[in-house]
Amino acid sequence: MNFSRHILATLSLIPAFHAMADTTSYPLTLTNCGMEVRFKSAPNSTVTVGQSATEILYALGLADRVAGTSVWFNPVLPEFSDVNADIERIADNDPSFEAVVNKKPDLVAAQYEWHVGPTGSVATRSQFHDLGIATYIMPADCDTKDNATGGDGTRIAAFSTESVYKGINELATIFDVQDAGEALVADLETQEASAIANAESLELPEDLSAVFWFSSPDQSVDPYVAGRLGAPGYMMDKLGIRNVIQSNEEWPVVGWESIAQADPDIIVVASMDRRRYPADDVDKKLEFLHSDPVAREMAAVKNGHIIEMDAHAMSATIRTIFGLEMLVDALSTMSFDR
């Protein structure tokens, strides 16, 4: 399935919304992830720290305002490959503070608070603000989430795609392109409703269970798997699937013995270009599942119920909706006779 076709359709609709959308009155003040941010005018130059912010700005028609990108998991959506090729990728993973500042941006747009937050791995928001550089963190990473717990944070309530739509609308307001924001959100809402309807039509067994494996520092050590309240939890909820991991942490570390004891019916493994850890490689994940004496005994492995999914879809982004579609398509081809 071409998951990006909807974005292309959205871009073609933008002119029709122009007369309907409001315009931004500057100076603009927003409360973003607990911090007040102020914009005297629409940013002319932005550095993105995270693929989610990058692709949303592209989808809003703002590629010409992006001076540099960083933190990539998967290839950019196909319709943005040409514009993305002309924009400097500062780093595949975390950029340095100096590398970001050297691009002289008006705005740093981040996907994760742990990159640009109170203890940011790139810098704190105050460090950027002291240089006159505004910051914006995607609400999907802080709404319903406590990032002060360390690691990837802990969800205090279930992720909702409303937080993704909120981020789109706020970025559209910051850049005074509300028409594009309205069109993009409307299209994604339609796509989400369609995916949920298709999920409901599958009539899966009521007691179906799953685990989402993102990565591991090494194949032989405990994996990072999805907690129950993040983006994978949203997908499983829409499909009526039980997550065998009941932690509220975004990506807790859980032992294979515990996962094997829960014996999930489905294993969803992340596919990514990133190579921070050996198990980032999806082929290494599959090799482990089929060769490890504990993992290979799980029902999902024996029955071939292993699904590959873009890692970026497992994060709280516009691609989460694409991930739901991907999951529905894969499950429609599987048999779960008990």
Side-chain angles (χ1 to χ4, degrees), residues 154-155 225-230 243-254:
T154 300
R155 290 280 172 184
V225 290
R228 68 188 185 93
L229 297 176
N243 189 352
V244 299
I245 309 301
Q246 288 297 296
S247 172
N248 289 351
E249 291 182 43
E250 191 85 335
W251 292 102
V253 175
V254 180

Side-chain angles (χ1 to χ4, degrees), residues 323-338:
L324 178 59
E325 289 183 319
M326 184 185 300
L327 195 56
V328 170
D329 284 351
L331 292 174
S332 69
T333 68
M334 294 180 178
S335 173
F336 294 98
D337 296 333
R338 299 299 178 89

